[in-house]
Amino acid sequence: MSLVDHFSYGLLTPVLAYIASAVGCMLGLLLTAKARAATGPERVRWLIGGALSIGGTGIWVMHFIAMMGFTVGGGQIRYDVPLTTASALLAVVFVGAGLLLVSAKGERFGPLLLGGVLTGLGVAGMHYLGLYAMNMSAHVSYDPMLVALSVLIAIAASTVALWFTLRTGGTLAAGGAALIMAVAVSGMHYVGMFAMEVHPRVSVTPVSGARGIDFMLPTLSVISLLTLGLLLAVILAPSDQEMRDDAELLAQLERRRGEQPSPLIAPAAPASRAAQAVPAPPPAGAPRRPSLFDAADDRRSGGDGR
């Protein structure tokens, strides 16, 4: 008879874990959709938000909510806080690396598969590092076949998740994709949990570490505030259509600016009418042309030229 119970609170922990995973994945997909319409540092910021949502809430929080239902014969289970924190950072960093890779390379199959493998190994590493962070009076071993299966599920789930980040845009599409992603993440978790073989042993020394509930309550509070902030950022950010309209308007302004004449060469000012009526003086040494005044002088002198 096995002393291991994965559902000590019934369906409460798996259902809550699935909801947390779906919410985190949906928010992450909405953030990565914003990243597709952005450029430069703004694009990177949206992707970091997506990594925090998917890796932090969608994967890591899901894992530890599910672990609240894990018991071994009523024995004490404690968690090494530094290792548990490191498992969260591992999930976020590897998810972020996969998002950056796929975002930079587009929808090509090679980068998508590489990003899926990288992210999947990070997710599996988070899971087993989180299990290693557990302290209890028992000897733990793993079924290699089930471990390999859980890693394959993690890679497949990560590849599908990255593919969704390239395609989904609207809220309904992101919600449907998040429900599928949450099924894959939960499936990977429980396959990995069933790979454990726990053999309790008697120990007179107390188990070191923090209780799961003591560690999870402040952690969930911080992550909930972070998730709320990211959700507000998505709501308050301009829509994709608004961003496209702004880009088109900027492009039109740039084109009009390029069509205007350069202000460096100013056109010559036209001469006044009075200046145009006065003839220019003849150059020195040139023969003098007769004028009306000369003809009047000739008539007064009798036309004899005197």
Side-chain angles (χ1 to χ4, degrees):
M1 179 179 178
S2 175
L3 298 176
V4 177
D5 187 1
H6 297 282
F7 308 101
S8 59
Y9 294 102
L11 293 178
L12 178 63
T13 51
V15 169
L16 289 178
Y18 176 81
I19 293 174
S21 181
V23 170
C25 291
M26 179 177 177
L27 180 57
L29 291 176
L30 292 175
L31 289 166
T32 53
K34 295 293 183 183
R36 292 200 306 269
T39 58
E42 184 181 3
R43 182 186 187 93
V44 175
R45 287 194 294 269
W46 286 121
L47 290 176
I48 291 174
L52 289 171
S53 299
I54 297 175
T57 305
I59 297 173
W60 187 79
V61 170
M62 176 271 152
H63 169 84
F64 277 96
I65 289 178
M67 289 302 298
M68 294 298 98
F70 177 75
T71 59
V72 180
Q76 291 183 343
I77 298 177
R78 299 290 186 265
Y79 291 90
D80 185 298
V81 175
L83 285 178
T84 304
T85 304
S87 68
L89 294 177
L90 185 68
V92 173
V93 169
F94 273 76
V95 170
L99 289 175
L100 287 173
L101 177 63
V102 173
S103 175
K105 299 298 182 180
E107 299 185 13
R108 290 183 292 175
F109 178 75
L112 177 62
L113 181 59
L114 179 60
V117 171
L118 179 66
T119 306
L121 292 177
V123 172
M126 179 280 305
H127 176 83
Y128 288 104
L129 182 58
L131 295 183
Y132 182 74
M134 289 192 308
N135 296 324
M136 54 186 169
S137 299
H139 173 72
V140 180
S141 60
Y142 295 92
D143 185 334
M145 295 299 294
L146 288 178
V147 170
L149 178 59
S150 68
V151 173
L152 290 177
I153 293 175
I155 292 174
S158 300
T159 304
V160 172
L162 293 177
W163 183 84
F164 278 133
T165 63
L166 297 172
R167 298 297 183 94
T168 56
T171 303
L172 291 178
L179 294 177
I180 299 173
M181 291 168 61
V183 170
V185 173
S186 299
M188 178 269 160
H189 170 83
Y190 283 107
V191 169
M193 292 303 297
F194 284 116
M196 293 181 65
E197 297 177 359
V198 182
H199 305 281
R201 60 189 179 188
V202 178
S203 177
V204 295
T205 60
V207 179
S208 61
R211 294 191 310 167
I213 191 67
D214 294 338
F215 181 74
M216 283 303 296
L217 282 179
T219 302
L220 286 177
S221 300
V222 172
I223 292 179
S224 298
L225 291 175
L226 179 62
T227 302
L228 179 60
L230 292 173
L231 181 60
L232 290 175
V234 172
I235 294 173
L236 297 177
S239 64
D240 294 346
Q241 183 61 43
E242 291 173 341
M243 295 176 69
R244 285 192 295 268
D245 293 341
D246 291 342
E248 292 177 1
L249 179 59
L250 289 175
Q252 291 177 3
L253 292 175
E254 289 294 333
R255 286 195 300 268
R256 291 180 181 178
R257 186 178 301 173
E259 293 172 358
Q260 291 178 354
S262 176
L264 296 178
I265 302 176
S272 63
R273 182 173 302 176
Q276 293 175 0
V278 177
R288 183 172 176 272
R289 295 178 60 186
S291 65
L292 295 176
F293 298 101
D294 294 334
D297 292 339
D298 291 341
R299 284 194 299 269
R300 284 195 300 269
S301 61
D304 55 0
R306 290 180 297 174

